[in-house]
Amino acid sequence: MAAWARLLGDAGLRGALRGQLLYCLDRNCLQAPSALPRQHKDACRRFSTSRISTTAKSGEEAVLKWGLFLIPVATFCLGTWQVQRRKWKLKLIADMEAQIAAEPVPLPADYLELKALEYRPVTVRGHFDHTKELYILPRSLVDPEKEARDAGRLMSNPESGANVITPFYCTDLGITILVNRGFVSRKKVKPETRLKGQIPDEIELVGVVRLSETRKPFVPENNVEKNRWHYRDLEAMARVTGAEPIFIDADSSTSQAMVFLIILVVNLCARKSCQKESTVPGGPIGGQTRVSLRNEHLQYIITWYGLCAATSYLWYKKFIQKVPL
C-alpha cells in the first residue's frame, strides 16, 4: 500500500494516471471492487467511463463514415443506370426513324397486326367523308426546316391552328378509318373556308400509322359535344364517326389521283420563298407526324457521375486524410 500511496501522491499527473490504469487492470479491481479503497474505486470508475465514452464515439464515427460512403456509391450506380438508359433510348430513336423511312406497305385490316406497325408508312385507297371532320387543337405546324432555322432564336412565333381528322372509307378493305389530313390555321378550321381542299374523288394516299394516346397531365379532357379534341382517343373518335379505331397521319405528298394538282404545286414551289404547301392545295398541310423522344440521359450521366466524384473526394479528405471540413 505504501507503493500505491507514493504512486498516487506527489509523483506527478503522469504517474497518477499510469497508476490508475494499472490498478484498474489489476485482477482485484475486476473481481472484488467492494474491497478496494474509495480513492481507487473512483479511479476505476473514471477510467471505465472514459473507456466507454471513447468506444461510443468510435462507433458513431464508424456509422457516419460508412453511412456517408453510401452517397458516392449510390450516385455511381445511378450514373451507370443512365448510361444503359441512354443506349436503350438511342436504339429506340433509331428504330423509329428506320420505321418511318421504310417503304409503304398496304394497310392491314387486322388491328392486332397494326399495333406492331406504329410509325410505319402505309398506303390506302378510298374517299373522305368531310361531313364528320374532327379537330385536334391547339396545334402548331410541324415544319422541320423552319424549326431548324429558328433553333438558335430566343423567341419564335409558331402558327397556331388545328389538325383535321377526317373519316376515310377504304374501298379495298371495306372499312372506314381515321386520317389526320394535316394542319390548318385557326381561320381555316371551318370547312367552308377551304372548299378547294375538300377532295370528293377516290384517291390513294400514304400515311403513317399512329396508335391511341393517353391524356397527359395538364392536358384538358376531350370535349366531344363541341368537337374539340386535345389528344388521340381512338375509341372515342371511332364511336363519334362510326369508323374503326385505326388512325394514320397523311404525309405531305400530293395525292396520286390528283395529278392535275401536281403542276399547281410545282408552280407554287417555284417561287423564291417557297413555303410548306398543303397535301392538296387549299386543304390541310400533311406530314404532321412529330417524332420526338426526350433524350436527356447524357445530362443525367454527367450530373450523377459529377456528384459521385465530388462526394468521393470529400469522403476521402474527411475520413482517410482526416482533414477537418
Side-chain angles (χ1 to χ4, degrees), residues 144-166:
E145 294 180 1
K146 184 177 183 300
E147 292 173 0
R149 292 194 303 268
D150 296 343
R153 299 181 182 179
L154 295 177
M155 298 183 62
S156 60
N157 297 311
E159 186 177 9
S160 179
N163 285 351
V164 179
I165 315 302
T166 308

Side-chain angles (χ1 to χ4, degrees), residues 84-100:
Q84 301 302 320
R85 289 277 297 173
R86 183 172 182 269
K87 291 180 180 178
W88 168 79
K89 184 62 68 68
L90 290 175
K91 184 179 182 301
L92 183 62
I93 293 173
D95 291 343
M96 291 176 59
E97 291 176 347
Q99 187 89 315
I100 290 178

Side-chain angles (χ1 to χ4, degrees), residues 306-323:
L307 286 174
C308 176
T311 53
S312 297
Y313 174 78
L314 292 175
W315 187 88
Y316 177 79
K317 298 292 286 186
K318 171 69 176 177
F319 297 105
I320 304 301
Q321 294 187 342
K322 305 294 185 181
V323 176

Side-chain angles (χ1 to χ4, degrees), residues 117-311:
L117 295 178
E118 187 174 18
Y119 295 108
R120 179 65 187 265
V122 295
T123 58
V124 291
R125 187 174 186 84
H127 59 268
F128 289 109
D129 182 1
H130 298 291
T131 63
K132 297 180 180 180
E133 285 185 350
L134 305 178
Y135 310 107
I136 301 180
L137 72 171
R139 289 293 185 271
S140 58
L141 177 63
V142 175
D143 188 349
E145 294 180 1
K146 184 177 183 300
E147 292 173 0
R149 292 194 303 268
D150 296 343
R153 299 181 182 179
L154 295 177
M155 298 183 62
S156 60
N157 297 311
E159 186 177 9
S160 179
N163 285 351
V164 179
I165 315 302
T166 308
F168 185 87
Y169 179 76
C170 302
T171 54
D172 51 349
L173 298 177
I175 60 173
T176 300
I177 65 173
L178 297 169
V179 175
N180 176 12
R181 294 187 61 202
F183 172 85
V184 293
S185 62
R186 285 187 175 275
K187 60 183 180 181
K188 292 287 187 179
V189 171
K190 294 182 179 180
E192 55 268 22
T193 62
R194 44 183 168 84
L195 294 176
K196 291 182 179 180
Q198 303 295 80
I199 307 171
D201 303 323
E202 182 174 298
I203 61 170
E204 181 177 342
L205 60 84
V206 178
V208 176
V209 176
R210 302 301 304 273
L211 302 181
S212 189
E213 61 182 353
T214 56
R215 186 174 71 89
K216 297 179 181 179
F218 309 112
V219 173
E221 293 283 356
N222 291 327
N223 192 326
V224 180
E225 290 75 16
K226 294 183 177 181
N227 196 8
R228 295 178 64 90
W229 303 79
H230 302 284
Y231 62 96
R232 286 190 313 276
D233 185 347
L234 299 192
E235 295 294 336
M237 290 178 169
R239 286 195 299 269
V240 171
T241 58
E244 298 294 326
I246 299 175
F247 190 102
I248 66 174
D249 287 339
D251 70 2
S252 57
S253 62
T254 305
S255 169
Q256 296 179 8
M258 307 288 287
V259 180
F260 68 93
L261 290 175
I262 295 178
I263 302 174
L264 178 58
V265 173
V266 171
N267 291 335
L268 288 171
C269 288
R271 295 180 302 177
K272 199 171 214 181
S273 57
C274 180
Q275 301 291 326
K276 188 178 179 74
E277 295 301 334
S278 303
T279 301
V280 174
I285 300 173
Q288 297 303 299
T289 303
R290 184 183 293 277
V291 183
S292 58
L293 293 177
R294 291 182 60 186
N295 185 16
E296 300 176 350
H297 298 290
L298 182 59
Q299 301 176 27
Y300 301 148
I301 291 170
I302 295 173
T303 299
W304 290 125
Y305 279 154
L307 286 174
C308 176
T311 53

